[in-house]
Amino acid sequence: MSEQIKAIVEHLNKEPFKKNFNLITFDSLEPMQLLQLLNDVLATIDPKQDIDIREEMPDQMARRMFSLLGMLKYKPPGNPSDTSNFRQGLVTGSKPVIHPILHWLLLRINELKKRAYLARFLFKLEVPAEFLQDDVVADTYHQYEELVESFKNYHKECESLKSSGFSTAEIRRDIGSMEEEKDQLIKRVDRLKKRVKPIPMEACAV
């Protein structure tokens, strides 16, 4: 456990955190301070998490963190089916729960940034099967799926260019072009989502 804390402190004292902790000061953090620290690390991975947890209800905060950690594929130590204790540890700022999370996040933060970025565009919008019986909704959903696949291809091409032998100028031009196409893709996906979401649940009864 001490090696885990040493690794956490070492990473937190580096960019972008620069916390200037030592083992004693880190271990003496109050639960709310520890939770805010965890939230700061999560916000580095996903900027949408940049929240002052004092302005959030504990259960709401725990659900938000639990959801993001699930998306990042974090697996708590111990019994994987015992999620209630894990959630409770998030609510209370329990060291045995928070320390392993911090350790796991900090050791792979760049990888997780990429995962969080991709999840923003690849998250599957679920539409109830009964809604898909409507031709307009079905067509819109099909377009949405095609746009997601297009983004995957653009991203793969971008990654391939980065690792290829092309010159920096060529890569920047190609990436710039793909970024423009990506922005257009995002706008189209947002419009499609707005067309799907307003469908009232009462439509199921019709």
Side-chain angles (χ1 to χ4, degrees):
M1 188 64 69
S2 61
E3 291 301 316
Q4 183 183 82
I5 293 178
K6 284 180 183 178
I8 294 172
V9 169
E10 180 181 348
H11 282 83
L12 288 174
N13 287 342
K14 295 177 182 177
E15 293 282 356
F17 307 105
K18 298 195 296 186
K19 293 293 185 180
N20 198 30
F21 284 130
N22 57 45
L23 295 179
I24 296 174
T25 55
F26 174 76
D27 196 48
S28 63
L29 290 175
E30 296 293 329
M32 283 295 290
Q33 294 174 308
L34 194 57
L35 283 168
Q36 185 63 58
L37 179 61
L38 171 60
N39 198 80
D40 292 344
V41 174
L42 291 173
T44 302
I45 295 169
D46 177 9
K48 291 185 296 184
Q49 309 300 318
D50 189 9
I51 295 170
D52 185 338
I53 63 170
R54 294 173 298 181
E55 300 175 358
E56 195 173 27
M57 294 296 292
D59 286 346
Q60 181 182 355
M61 175 204 67
R63 285 195 299 270
R64 174 176 57 82
M65 290 184 175
F66 188 83
S67 175
L68 179 60
L69 289 169
M71 183 271 291
L72 296 175
K73 303 188 186 305
Y74 174 73
K75 299 185 185 305
N79 186 353
S81 63
D82 187 13
T83 58
S84 60
N85 285 337
F86 180 72
R87 284 177 179 268
Q88 186 61 28
L90 283 178
V91 172
T92 61
S94 167
K95 289 181 182 180
V97 170
I98 305 300
H99 285 181
I101 299 174
L102 284 172
H103 185 255
W104 187 83
L105 294 173
L106 291 167
L107 288 183
R108 48 185 60 78
I109 197 160
N110 289 329
E111 171 194 338
L112 297 176
K113 281 182 180 180
K114 181 177 178 180
R115 188 175 296 173
Y117 168 78
L118 291 176
R120 174 186 172 192
F121 304 107
L122 302 181
F123 178 78
K124 191 70 175 291
L125 178 65
E126 297 294 339
V127 177
E130 56 268 25
F131 289 173
L132 293 176
Q133 295 176 10
D134 182 281
D135 291 341
V136 175
V137 175
D139 182 61
T140 300
Y141 190 71
H142 180 66
Q143 292 179 53
Y144 162 73
E145 291 183 314
E146 288 183 336
L147 290 171
V148 169
E149 290 302 316
S150 296
F151 176 79
K152 289 181 181 178
N153 293 331
Y154 287 139
H155 178 73
K156 287 179 182 177
E157 188 174 346
C158 180
E159 292 297 307
S160 177
L161 285 170
K162 288 179 181 178
S163 60
S164 70
F166 289 109
S167 69
T168 303
E170 288 176 314
I171 293 176
R172 284 177 177 170
R173 280 198 302 271
D174 288 334
I175 290 176
S177 176
M178 285 189 287
E179 286 289 337
E180 290 180 6
E181 293 179 4
K182 183 199 74 176
D183 290 339
Q184 294 176 10
L185 172 63
I186 294 170
K187 291 177 182 177
R188 291 176 67 188
V189 170
D190 287 341
R191 288 198 296 269
L192 289 171
K193 285 182 178 179
K194 289 176 182 177
R195 290 179 62 184
V196 173
K197 286 182 178 179
I199 299 175
M201 293 300 296
E202 289 77 6
C204 299
V206 177

